[in-house]
Amino acid sequence: MIKTSLGERIFDICNTIIMVLLIILTLYPMLYILFSSLSEGNQLISFNGILLWPQGFSLEGYKAVLSNPTILSGFKNTLFILVVGLGINMTLTSLGAYFLSREGVMLQKPIMFFIVFTMFFQGGLVPFYLIVKSYGLLDSLWALILPTAVSTFNLIIMRTYFMAIPKELEESAFLDGAGHFTILFRIFIPLSMPVVAVLILYYGVGHWNSWFNAMIFLRDQDLYPIQLVVRNIILENDNASMLGTTTLIQSRDVAETLKYAAIIVTTAPILLLYPFLQKYFVKGVMVGALKG
C-alpha cells in the first residue's frame, strides 16, 4: 500500500471539496428547472429561496407543452433540420477533409489558407443576410441548413485525423483498383469512427440549439424550430395560444411551470444522446487535434 504524506492528504481533501462544489454549481440550475417544471404553479410563484425539491407536484406544464401544436411543429422542423443537416454536414466535411489531407493536391495550401482565414475574419451579419436572401432561402428551412453546411473547425479536426491514417492503406487500395470514394467511405470513415462520433455530436448539438438564424431568416411561425418556439415562450410570454380556454388564474399558474417544462422537453433528447457518444468524445477530439 502506497503511503501518502499529510500534505498529499490535505490536497486530496481540498481537491474533492472543490470538485463537489463545482458539481453542485453545475447541476443546480438544471435541477432548479426540473423541480420548477414539476411544481404546482401557485406554490412556485409564492416560493422564495433556494429550490431543493418540487413545490407540490403537477404535470400540467408538461401536458400543456406536449399537447401544443406549436411545440410539436417545432420538434418536427428541428428533426428535419437535424437529420438533413447532419447528412449534409458529415458528407461535405468528409469530402473536404479527404481532399485537403491528400499529398500532391493542386492548390491545396492556398485553399487551406482561405478556409482557415474564415475562422478569424467574417463578413458580419448584414452580408450573411444578403447572401441568404440572394439565394432565395428566406422563410425556408434550408436557410438553417445550407449556410452552415461545413464548420471550419470540424473540417480541420477531420483533416488532421485523416492525415494520421497510414498511407500504405491508401496505396494498397489503389493497387487493388479502388477509387477515391471507395477509399474514403470504406477505409477512412470506418477507421475514423471516434472523430466521426464527435463531429456528429458537435453538428447535432449545433442544429438542436440553433435559434438565432431562425429568428433572422424565418417569418412563418410554422417553420420555427423548437428552440425558437421555447424562446418565444420564455422571453415573450407567448402562452395565451397554448392554454386554450383555461381561466386567467389557472393560465398564470400553468404558464409559470410551462416555461420550465418546455426547457426540459427540449433539452432531454441531447442529454440522453450524450452518454452514448461520450466514450468517443475525448479520444476523437484529442487524436484529431494532435496527430499529424
Side-chain angles (χ1 to χ4, degrees):
M1 182 176 180
I2 300 175
K3 294 183 178 180
T4 58
S5 65
L6 177 61
E8 290 175 331
R9 290 197 295 270
I10 293 175
F11 173 80
D12 290 340
I13 293 172
C14 294
N15 194 36
T16 301
I17 293 173
I18 292 173
M19 295 305 298
V20 169
L21 291 175
L22 288 176
I23 291 173
I24 293 173
L25 291 175
T26 304
L27 287 179
Y28 179 72
M30 198 65 193
L31 291 176
Y32 178 89
I33 294 172
L34 177 62
F35 295 153
S36 298
S37 68
L38 296 173
S39 299
E40 292 280 354
N42 57 347
Q43 295 186 39
L44 182 63
I45 292 174
S46 61
F47 178 80
N48 292 317
I50 299 177
L51 189 64
L52 298 178
W53 50 78
Q55 299 300 303
F57 181 80
S58 174
L59 296 177
E60 291 300 320
Y62 288 98
K63 291 179 181 178
V65 168
L66 297 176
S67 63
N68 179 256
T70 306
I71 291 286
L72 296 179
S73 67
F75 271 115
K76 181 188 69 175
N77 295 330
T78 297
L79 287 175
F80 174 82
I81 296 169
L82 183 65
V83 174
V84 177
L86 268 178
I88 294 175
N89 292 146
M90 295 307 301
T91 300
L92 295 183
T93 302
S94 301
L95 292 173
Y98 179 79
F99 170 79
L100 294 170
S101 64
R102 300 304 88 207
E103 293 182 352
V105 175
M106 184 179 297
L107 301 177
Q108 184 186 70
K109 290 185 178 180
I111 293 173
M112 194 64 201
F113 170 79
F114 285 114
I115 290 175
V116 175
F117 185 84
T118 63
M119 293 183 65
F120 304 100
F121 301 96
Q122 300 179 8
L125 182 59
V126 174
F128 182 37
Y129 179 87
L130 293 176
I131 290 173
V132 173
K133 181 180 179 181
S134 67
Y135 281 100
L137 298 177
L138 291 181
D139 220 19
S140 167
L141 291 179
W142 292 107
L144 311 181
I145 298 174
L146 297 181
T148 57
V150 178
S151 164
T152 304
F153 178 76
N154 294 344
L155 177 65
I156 293 174
I157 290 179
M158 181 167 275
R159 169 184 176 268
T160 308
Y161 201 103
F162 282 174
M163 291 175 67
I165 295 177
K167 296 180 177 60
E168 291 77 11
L169 291 175
E170 182 181 1
E171 293 171 355
S172 63
F174 276 128
L175 292 175
D176 291 336
H180 287 291
F181 284 100
T182 301
I183 293 173
L184 172 60
F185 290 107
R186 293 196 177 184
I187 298 177
F188 277 55
I189 296 297
L191 291 175
S192 305
M193 289 312 297
V195 76
V196 168
V198 170
L199 297 191
I200 288 175
L201 184 63
Y202 279 169
Y203 279 125
V205 172
H207 285 307
W208 190 268
N209 291 334
S210 178
W211 61 270
F212 185 73
N213 287 354
M215 183 180 67
I216 296 173
F217 300 132
L218 301 181
R219 295 293 176 267
D220 186 356
Q221 294 190 9
D222 291 336
L223 298 176
Y224 282 3
I226 188 62
Q227 298 298 343
L228 186 56
V229 173
V230 173
R231 174 188 178 275
N232 290 339
I233 293 173
I234 296 174
L235 298 182
E236 300 177 7
N237 295 319
D238 188 16
N239 298 308
S241 62
M242 305 188 67
L243 300 171
T245 58
T246 315
T247 64
L248 182 60
I249 295 177
Q250 291 174 328
S251 297
R252 188 187 65 160
D253 293 343
V254 175
E256 187 66 21
T257 58
L258 182 146
K259 296 184 295 186
Y260 299 107
I263 295 174
I264 293 294
V265 168
T266 55
T267 306
I270 292 296
L271 293 179
L272 294 175
L273 175 65
Y274 182 78
F276 296 100
L277 299 177
Q278 184 180 12
K279 62 181 180 180
Y280 299 108
F281 191 77
V282 175
K283 180 181 177 183
V285 172
M286 294 302 295
V287 175
L290 298 178
K291 277 191 176 181

